[in-house]
Amino acid sequence: EVVLTQSPDTLSLSPGERATLSCRASRSFGSSHLVWYQQKPGQAPRLLIYGVSSRATGIPDRFSGSRSGTDFTLTISRLEPEDFAVYYCQQYGTTPQWTFGQGTKVEIK
Amino acid sequence: QITLKESGPTLVKPTQTLTLTCSFSGFSLSTSGEGVGWIRQAPGKALEWLALIYWDDDKRYSPSLQSRLTITKDTSKNQVVLIMTNMDPVDTATYYCAHTNYFEGDYFDYWGQGTLVTVSS
């Protein structure tokens, strides 16, 4: 099983600032099989990034994803008020299961 | 446009069996590559993948819950059913179904709104 560990648990930032969220895998898996979701209170997760760095349909370009070995990063270049939410990474390269990180909450400072 | 919606009981008693239905539109589970998964989220907790079924009836289960889960599909009704036996209060969560496509990435790109299931006597 691949365990995904996200850090930090909470990120306190102001609108306009840059957010850097980390997701570390316990071991390597499918070369680009990592996604990021955004979840707001009372809502279902929304796909932001797939294949490590590809933005899903309708996702603004302030969101970007990258990888270095087993370390994955979601960057929000300039936080907008609607970006304050919880973000989850998920791997889908190792069947028979898919696993999620524990989430990072981006809150208004 | 792909949409999914979960339905089922909001309250179940401990030891009972939970049956949830995912009704979807915008794709068909008779089409090669298509799949539907179930994911849950306990209050204030992270997402947890439960099960997934593909167009070819290939079924995948979370190893930790496999003995309690059954996933089936009804292609003619555009529905996927998840059955979870021996419910416990720790199974209280919002249950989501979501779309995936095996050939296009195998991640969950469309999600239902979720349904909250409370396990309590």
Side-chain angles (χ1 to χ4, degrees), chain A residues 5-39:
Chain A
T5 302
Q6 293 186 239
S7 61
D9 289 335
T10 303
L11 199 52
S12 298
L13 295 168
S14 301
E17 290 193 293
R18 181 184 186 92
T20 303
L21 288 68
S22 174
C23 174
R24 174 166 291 178
S26 59
R27 62 174 178 85
S28 62
F29 52 93
S31 60
S32 61
H33 293 173
L34 186 112
V35 299
W36 290 91
Y37 299 97
Q38 177 194 68
Q39 188 179 34

Side-chain angles (χ1 to χ4, degrees), chain A residues 98, chain B residues 2-6 20-25 27-31 33-39 49-61 71-74 78-82 96-102 106-112:
Chain A
W98 293 250
Chain B
I2 291 176
T3 63
L4 306 98
K5 187 173 184 179
E6 306 85 355
L20 294 173
T21 300
C22 177
S23 302
F24 57 85
S25 63
F27 68 99
S28 172
L29 272 177
S30 61
T31 300
E34 299 291 7
V36 171
W38 285 92
I39 303 99
W49 171 73
L50 302 177
L52 188 144
I53 189 165
Y54 288 110
W55 80 101
D56 58 357
D57 213 37
D58 183 11
K59 301 170 185 177
R60 311 291 176 89
Y61 295 101
I71 190 170
T72 61
K73 62 181 175 69
D74 186 330
N78 281 349
Q79 290 181 336
V80 169
V81 172
L82 181 74
Y96 297 99
C97 61
H99 167 267
T100 186
N101 186 292
Y102 180 80
D106 217 15
Y107 48 82
F108 301 116
D109 51 1
Y110 295 92
W111 294 61

Side-chain angles (χ1 to χ4, degrees), chain A residues 49-70:
Chain A
I49 301 285
Y50 64 93
V52 175
S53 59
S54 298
R55 279 186 297 277
T57 303
I59 301 303
D61 60 7
R62 64 179 180 272
F63 291 92
S64 64
S66 63
R67 170 188 182 174
S68 176
T70 57

Side-chain angles (χ1 to χ4, degrees), chain A residues 34 48 64 67 77 86 96 105:
Chain A
L34 186 112
L48 292 177
S64 64
R67 170 188 182 174
S77 58
V86 180
K105 181 180 182 180

